[in-house]
Amino acid sequence: MNTLIIDDEPAANTELKKMLRAYHQELTVVGEATNVHEGLMKIRKLKPELLFLDIEMPGGTGFDLIRQLGKDARPEIVFVTSRNEFAFQAFNCAALDYILKPVDQGSLATAVQRAKERMHQKNSSRRLEALLANIDASSNADKHIGIPNDHGIEFITAGDIICCQGSDGYTLIHLADGTRRTSSYPIGHYKKMLPTPDFFMTHRSFIVNRKHVVRLSADEISLNGGLKAEISRRRKKLVEDWLS
């Protein structure tokens, strides 16, 4: 879980990083900031999932930072402060937790566990949203296919997909612009979602967009972008009929 620390006390930052590295290797500290302005820039650039945020800093407070950040793409927030009188205001900002300095391992462990549970809930929600977004996509080639990722759902026009390639329970989605996306859904999910007859499963590991087919050979299809898709023996005649 990518983590950002915003605190104007270098010693506090160092100690928090040591504790995270020693006891919570599932968190990766991607950056630090010492004031509101720098913190906002780091959040927008690094897009952390978890934020350890001091309240009193030069140039503004942690609450000022939250107000300027808005609700879009806001990370989970754990306030870390030496004063307890801000607790009510912190939880009104939907903070995940509120830890008093000096940070102890028990309080930190509780905050990290809450962050992990919240991220699990978010990921489950994103998967459900993507599934709902994909319902009935098979009826229209212009429909958008929802692909869940770490920051939400990316919607891709079906016609921009050259092919889908199954790999170890995941799906690699190759796009016409030369990029690709990795989906946590298996390829069978996209067999149901992608529109027919434009898309066809040529092999248990490949779904191909007919509009991007360049050449058919004995055991594979050449596609735009230099890509190739396998053809299973039992599907060869079906593929020929599909392309005819």
Side-chain angles (χ1 to χ4, degrees), residues 188-213:
H189 171 82
Y190 293 98
K191 179 184 178 183
K192 298 175 183 178
M193 294 299 108
L194 289 167
T196 56
D198 288 339
F199 287 84
F200 189 80
M201 197 162 199
T202 64
H203 183 276
R204 66 182 181 180
S205 298
F206 285 93
I207 300 173
V208 170
N209 184 347
R210 180 166 55 187
K211 295 179 180 178
H212 291 283
V213 172

Side-chain angles (χ1 to χ4, degrees), residues 91-227:
F91 286 111
N92 275 345
C93 293
L96 191 67
D97 211 335
Y98 187 95
I99 300 177
L100 289 174
K101 297 177 182 177
V103 177
D104 65 84
Q105 173 54 23
S107 298
L108 183 60
T110 298
V112 170
Q113 182 59 33
R114 287 177 177 171
K116 290 162 65 177
E117 291 172 357
R118 185 74 63 84
M119 289 305 301
H120 177 73
Q121 292 170 358
K122 282 185 175 181
N123 289 336
S124 297
S125 176
R126 287 168 184 159
R127 290 175 67 90
L128 177 59
E129 289 175 12
L131 178 61
L132 294 174
N134 286 334
I135 290 176
D136 295 330
S138 59
S139 64
N140 190 335
D142 292 328
K143 283 288 185 72
H144 288 73
I145 305 300
I147 302 174
N149 58 35
D150 291 341
H151 305 293
I153 301 173
E154 180 180 9
F155 291 94
I156 295 174
T157 302
D160 291 336
I161 297 174
I162 296 177
C163 70
C164 296
Q165 179 181 358
S167 177
D168 296 325
Y170 290 80
T171 302
L172 303 178
I173 300 172
H174 299 273
L175 303 179
D177 64 1
T179 63
R180 75 179 187 185
R181 305 292 185 271
T182 300
S183 170
S184 57
Y185 286 124
I187 195 167
H189 171 82
Y190 293 98
K191 179 184 178 183
K192 298 175 183 178
M193 294 299 108
L194 289 167
T196 56
D198 288 339
F199 287 84
F200 189 80
M201 197 162 199
T202 64
H203 183 276
R204 66 182 181 180
S205 298
F206 285 93
I207 300 173
V208 170
N209 184 347
R210 180 166 55 187
K211 295 179 180 178
H212 291 283
V213 172
V214 175
R215 183 173 58 257
L216 173 66
S217 60
D219 58 358
E220 67 180 18
I221 295 178
S222 297
L223 303 166
N224 288 332
L227 298 169

